[in-house]
Amino acid sequence: MKTYLKILSLLFLSVVFPKEIKTDTDYQQLPNDSNKVNLMIEQSLLKTTDSNIVLANEAFHLAESIKFNRGKILSLYSLAINHSISADYDRSIYYLLQSIKLVDELQDESLLDLKAESTRYLGEICRATKDYDKGLEYLFEARNLFNKLNHQIGLSRTYNRLSSIYLEKFIYKECDSVIYYANLSNEIAYKIGFNEVISNNLNILGTYYSGIGQDSLSIPTYKMCLEYFENDDKFSERANVLGNLARVYYKMNMNDSSLYYARLSYNEASRLKVSAFIYSTSYLLFELFKNRFNQPDSAIHYILISIQQMEKIYDEEKIRSITESQIRDEISRKEKEIIERDNKILSHTVIFLSILIVLFFAFFYYFKKNKIQKLANEKLEQINMSKDTFFSIIAHDLKNPIGAFRNLADLLKNEYDTLDDFERKNFAKLMSDSSNSILELLENLLTWSRNQSNRIDFEPAIHDIKFLSNQVISVNKLSADKKRIEIINNIPDGDFAYCDINMVYTILRNLISNSIKFSFSDSKIIIDSEKVIEDNMSKIKISVIDFGTGISEDTLDKMFDFSSKVSRLGTQGEKGTGLGMVIVKEFVEKNNGKMLVETEVNKGSTISFTLPINEPAVKKNKYKS
């Protein structure tokens, strides 16, 4: 992220300061005029030192004293960039908004290019912080401003960021907007020779094609991207693209090619001392030598490098900032405090113990007398916790998709005349996805709340499980078809269970929907059944088997606990409610069944549940409100 932001600042300088300025000039020797301000701003963006923010602040105050408005705005922009490079995004956003506010107050048309650039950069900050909807809003506003100014470089960079946002928002999912905006950006960049943006667009497209499984397009796109780096010895993005290309070959089991490009990426990243790329590529080399070439010595060599770089990235030296002498002084001081405190405590020990004995007997009597009241309070506290969690879900999980829907609707309303047909259709699709997410969450919330208050009728009877599962499959067919997933129903005809049909329908709907969500494209889901004996009863065991992402041990421990509601993203960015598996477990248990989960990360999951085949001699869990 820091590398890309620095590249953006260099691109901005080439536009804002087209005249050559000697950046090694000592600005303090210059007179206090606009040239000095410009030089200070340029040096604050070109250099990579801790003094950049101080320098940009000095430039702002000088520009203010000589009434150089453009210099003031550029200083604010420099402050924003330098704070974003150090990941202080709140301050970066503050300075960008201040620069935009200043342009609006001055009402000077000659400063609109700076407002457009600050707005575009706000979109980039939102992308970096994953606030994609707000980022799109800023970028479309920047596009309109650059269009008004006929600013081709600004337009090309804005389209580039739009493509990047759509890539990250819909990671591993087909999204025409990624290609559409990358091509718009390159159409301009090719005309003006804007190689930095061309290469970045090609890297975005290569990553997109790889993410959706179109490796035949990904590889030539990455290679075309590399051609733009041949004459640039300092551009670290080359190491990133080489690493991306190596990973595509790794995925295709083309091990020699993967090793070739991984070594190129590692050497390039090492030469430029970019820790993030050294870490990722050394880990890929570890996987190659371990899994593909069976060379344990080389594998160990690179995993050690990967660990070293990871430690460097997280900068563990900060933890050891206290020197040994400081530690010794601190221990000595603490020991002295403890001795003084112990002397005071010792002088009051007898009185304290006497009071403690009296309090103990008083508490014992009070506890025994109020045992029933305490149990009632615990039950009430449990109900309050469930209520708090319920309203927390409404306040956060329901707020996010509704907020996204509102933002998209506002954007469509405000920008309708400036959007083309492709963009309008895309916004309609985004609004549809958002409304589906809201509907799913509402259905699960209502089901759970009705179940907690015993307002769901339990009406068990003998039902055909094959027929019921086919109904659920037909409802989920459209979602499966979008990911080219085949659902195979191996439940034989004549398999029956004694159960509540509505509850079992909800169980199967959640399990199959989750399997689709966490399955990779072009895979399959199998629904199977077998007869088992459980708790001395004849039961049918129904299993939903997928070959997707699997479930981590930490997630597995929490997924059936309402208070630890866990929501994960699917393989194509699909959002879940985190309530589905909680409802499934409660409904299975109310139907006298049990659940079993078998899973392996990145290999898939088998989630099974049992149901009685016949009506139990003593009916359990039968209730009706």
Side-chain angles (χ1 to χ4, degrees), residues 65-76:
S65 68
I66 63 174
K67 296 182 171 32
F68 179 31
N69 291 328
R70 190 173 186 85
K72 288 170 62 177
I73 298 166
L74 286 171
S75 301
L76 291 170

Side-chain angles (χ1 to χ4, degrees), residues 458 460 498 590 592 614-623:
F458 180 64
Y498 181 76
K590 283 176 182 175
N592 280 322
N614 302 305
E615 182 176 0
V618 178
K619 299 176 184 176
K620 299 178 181 179
N621 293 328
K622 186 170 183 180
Y623 66 98

